[in-house]
Structures are given as C-alpha cells and as structure tokens.
Amino acid sequence: GTIKPINTIAVGTQVSGTVARIYVDYNSVVKKGDLLAELDPSLFQSNVDQSTAKLNNAKASLSRATASLNYKKNNYQRYKNLYAKNYVSKDEVELAYSNYQQALAEVASANAEVNASQATLNNNLTNLGYSKITSPVDGTVISRAVDVGQTVAASFNTPTLFEVAKDLTQMQIETSVSEADIGKVKVG
C-alpha cells in the first residue's frame, strides 16, 4: 500500500491569476498563516484603485446632493412662510415642495451609490487579499502543484496548489485488499 499522513489539507486559491512567487517547496515546515505563494496582484490592485475612485466620486455626488437638498429645503420653508402671508401663490409653494422631495430622492440615490461603491471596493480588497495564498494550518508541505509563471484558474472548483500534512508523526497505510482474502472476517 501507500503510506500517507492521516490529516492533509489541500490549499488552493479562490481567484484566478498568474503565480508570481512561491515561498515554499516540498518538506517545508509551515505555520498557520505563513505565505506559501502569491499571485500577480497587479490586476487585483487596479480593481481596488478603480473602485476607490468610484467610491470617492459617489461620495462627492452625495455631498452635492446634500447641498442641493439643504438649499431646496430652505427654499421650501421660505415659500411656505411667504404663502402664509399671501405673498406667493400656492403653485409656487407646491413647486418648491416638489423640488425639495426630488432633492430627498437624489440624496437617497447618492447614498445607495456610495453603499454599492463601498461593497465593490470591499469585494476587490478581498480578492486582492486572496492573491496571497497562506497556510491554513501548522504542518509540512508534502505536495506542490504549481510553478512560477503558471496560470491558475479558479472558475468552478478551486485548484489545489499545495498539500499540507498536519502531523507527519501519524501516518496510515492505504491499500487494496481482495474480498477473497478477507471473506471470513467477522466482528471481533
């Protein structure tokens, strides 16, 4: 049969990219959190930069919408006070109120855009973090399936890049046994 560690962990990647650096090889002893390999981060970093710019733009739009809201709210209050003294028509008050309501909707829309941009940025930051492949456990690297420059594609299933054995002092033998050889084996 084959002697294998009892507990092995397959280490893969959640994102696709080109392997830029490998920090471990066969028989390397690793601790939980140690860097095993790194995918080229340039694409992930550009996504982070782009989403940061979109978030800043969304925040600026929110500031503009808030300033417009404050003006339209004050304008509506002025028209309401003038209408109470019969200086303006009801139509002008209703128009000022309508503008105020539209400004409220624009602020809500700008807030939603800020939240969406923040979520995109968080997602891109997470993907940038996934470009660094770390060990999930303390152990020994028993298999390395990638080389520098190789492209890994994490589309439907996570590709296994490394296998880390948790404890090499506990091993098991995996073997095939014919049923004819153990036909009379019983409990006990």
Side-chain angles (χ1 to χ4, degrees), residues 103-137:
L104 280 172
E106 288 171 6
V107 167
S109 175
N111 262 325
E113 186 63 34
V114 166
N115 292 338
S117 296
Q118 183 66 56
T120 301
L121 175 60
N122 292 344
N123 182 53
N124 288 333
L125 284 169
T126 300
N127 285 340
L128 178 62
Y130 286 153
S131 71
K132 295 180 186 318
I133 295 125
T134 58
S135 177
V137 293

Side-chain angles (χ1 to χ4, degrees), residues 6-68:
I6 290 177
N7 194 355
T8 60
I9 290 85
V11 180
T13 177
Q14 295 185 25
V15 293
S16 300
T18 303
V19 177
R21 289 177 221 43
I22 295 177
Y23 300 103
V24 295
D25 207 347
Y26 303 102
N27 297 323
S28 296
V29 177
V30 295
K31 300 281 184 210
K32 181 177 182 176
D34 282 357
L35 195 57
L36 304 177
E38 191 174 358
L39 300 179
D40 182 13
S42 59
L43 178 64
F44 304 111
Q45 185 61 54
S46 67
N47 287 341
V48 166
D49 295 343
Q50 187 177 27
S51 35
T52 300
K54 284 184 180 180
L55 176 61
N56 290 336
N57 189 32
K59 285 180 178 179
S61 293
L62 176 60
S63 294
R64 277 193 302 275
T66 302
S68 176

Side-chain angles (χ1 to χ4, degrees), residues 57-118:
N57 189 32
K59 285 180 178 179
S61 293
L62 176 60
S63 294
R64 277 193 302 275
T66 302
S68 176
L69 171 66
N70 291 336
Y71 171 75
K72 290 177 180 179
K73 180 181 178 186
N74 291 337
N75 197 39
Y76 168 64
Q77 290 297 329
R78 277 192 294 275
Y79 273 92
K80 207 162 87 169
N81 291 338
L82 291 172
Y83 178 72
K85 297 176 184 176
N86 289 326
Y87 290 134
V88 294
S89 69
K90 184 168 177 132
D91 182 55
E92 290 175 297
V93 174
E94 289 173 352
L95 179 62
Y97 180 73
S98 173
N99 289 339
Y100 170 58
Q101 292 297 313
Q102 287 176 1
L104 280 172
E106 288 171 6
V107 167
S109 175
N111 262 325
E113 186 63 34
V114 166
N115 292 338
S117 296
Q118 183 66 56

Side-chain angles (χ1 to χ4, degrees), residues 144-174:
R144 178 173 63 95
V146 291
D147 289 310
V148 172
Q150 186 174 342
T151 301
V152 290
S155 51
F156 293 111
N157 36 344
T158 303
T160 300
L161 307 179
F162 301 94
E163 273 190 86
V164 178
K166 225 173 166 183
D167 184 5
L168 288 179
T169 62
Q170 297 181 4
M171 304 292 274
Q172 66 186 6
I173 298 174
E174 293 184 4

